[in-house]
Amino acid sequence: MINTIVLLGYMGCGKSKVGLALAQSIDIPYVDLDFFIENQEGMTIKNIFEHKGELYFRKKERHFLEEILTQKEPVVLSLGGGTPCYYNSMDYIVSSNVISFYLKASINTLSNRLFIERHKRPLIRHLKTKENLIDYVAKHLFERLFFYGKASHVVSVDQESIEEIVLSIKNLV
Ligand code: S3P
């Protein structure tokens, strides 16, 4: 039987799209941690950040991560970009009975994707220019690499289609 598959990586690396396609292709349920939190809290992530603050969000994120990873049924779980980087969550993931994949995208790929949709994302919506965004992503990604690097596998996603990424993951599980 297959174990839970956890997808992680920076905002814009494709965790949700890849996660959904992967879950459909191996026929197990898909859970997107951001959507899960939004459903449980009855609020969008943007509103949680605005009205309750980031710390509240991080506590809920950790709480629901544990809730999902302690379920018996295997799922494909896409994390939020920051999930592995707070509390001891990445060590918790590593010590759980799951296989994890860091979807690795370059600063350029991420910045290009994120610039158009930055208004939807609480952490980067204040950034006015592409240059500001590139600087932010470069620094932030560097800080997070320590956590992302603990994943069971690293999959490069810059040049690959969703189908190719799904195939690479399926070959490793
Ligand atoms: C965050 C990433 C977001 C969401 C929240 C915080 C982060 O998820 O959890 O806005 O800290 O990188 P996505 O990576 O799915 O955009």
Side-chain angles (χ1 to χ4, degrees), residues 9-16 32-34 37 45-46 49 54 57-58 61 78-86 114 117 120-124 136 140 144 148:
Y10 202 75
M11 290 178 277
C13 71
K15 299 179 293 287
S16 303
D32 183 306
L33 185 58
D34 284 339
I37 298 169
I45 303 285
K46 188 169 156 275
F49 267 74
E54 182 172 354
F57 172 75
R58 296 301 173 194
E61 184 178 43
S78 296
L79 303 182
T83 318
C85 315
Y86 291 84
L114 290 171
E117 43 171 79
K120 290 189 236 155
R121 301 179 191 260
L123 293 178
I124 53 171
Y136 181 93
H140 204 204
R144 289 181 165 187
Y148 294 162

Side-chain angles (χ1 to χ4, degrees), residues 57-107:
F57 172 75
R58 296 301 173 194
K59 283 187 183 151
K60 291 291 164 189
E61 184 178 43
R62 170 56 196 236
H63 171 80
F64 292 122
L65 171 71
E66 263 188 70
E67 187 172 313
I68 297 162
L69 292 190
T70 47
Q71 278 169 12
K72 281 210 181 71
E73 194 190 12
V75 297
V76 172
L77 172 65
S78 296
L79 303 182
T83 318
C85 315
Y86 291 84
Y87 309 102
N88 62 342
S89 297
M90 195 59 213
D91 291 333
Y92 177 74
I93 292 165
V94 169
S95 63
S96 305
N97 194 23
V98 306
I99 179 161
S100 55
F101 292 87
Y102 165 34
L103 304 190
K104 185 177 179 205
S106 68
I107 296 165

Side-chain angles (χ1 to χ4, degrees), residues 3-164:
N3 285 336
T4 282
I5 300 172
V6 174
L7 303 183
L8 56 101
Y10 202 75
M11 290 178 277
C13 71
K15 299 179 293 287
S16 303
K17 282 188 185 130
V18 172
L20 183 60
L22 175 66
Q24 283 169 347
S25 125
I26 54 179
D27 201 22
I28 66 172
Y30 173 62
V31 182
D32 183 306
L33 185 58
D34 284 339
F35 288 145
F36 193 89
I37 298 169
E38 288 184 336
N39 275 332
Q40 296 290 322
E41 293 291 299
M43 268 174 124
T44 61
I45 303 285
K46 188 169 156 275
N47 281 339
I48 299 176
F49 267 74
E50 257 173 50
H51 300 292
K52 305 224 170 179
E54 182 172 354
L55 192 57
Y56 177 90
F57 172 75
R58 296 301 173 194
K59 283 187 183 151
K60 291 291 164 189
E61 184 178 43
R62 170 56 196 236
H63 171 80
F64 292 122
L65 171 71
E66 263 188 70
E67 187 172 313
I68 297 162
L69 292 190
T70 47
Q71 278 169 12
K72 281 210 181 71
E73 194 190 12
V75 297
V76 172
L77 172 65
S78 296
L79 303 182
T83 318
C85 315
Y86 291 84
Y87 309 102
N88 62 342
S89 297
M90 195 59 213
D91 291 333
Y92 177 74
I93 292 165
V94 169
S95 63
S96 305
N97 194 23
V98 306
I99 179 161
S100 55
F101 292 87
Y102 165 34
L103 304 190
K104 185 177 179 205
S106 68
I107 296 165
N108 254 343
T109 301
L110 296 169
S111 306
N112 287 337
R113 290 184 189 167
L114 290 171
F115 190 64
I116 332 159
E117 43 171 79
R118 67 193 186 286
H119 302 289
K120 290 189 236 155
R121 301 179 191 260
L123 293 178
I124 53 171
R125 58 203 302 257
H126 63 286
L127 299 168
K128 300 262 178 307
T129 67
K130 187 79 170 284
E131 287 66 37
N132 290 157
L133 179 65
I134 293 171
D135 289 348
Y136 181 93
V137 171
K139 181 171 180 290
H140 204 204
L141 179 61
F142 179 74
E143 290 163 1
R144 289 181 165 187
L145 281 181
F146 170 74
F147 302 96
Y148 294 162
K150 295 186 182 190
S152 329
H153 301 282
V154 180
V155 176
S156 291
V157 298
D158 283 321
Q159 312 291 337
E160 285 76 13
S161 66
I162 305 282
E163 293 71 27
E164 287 167 335

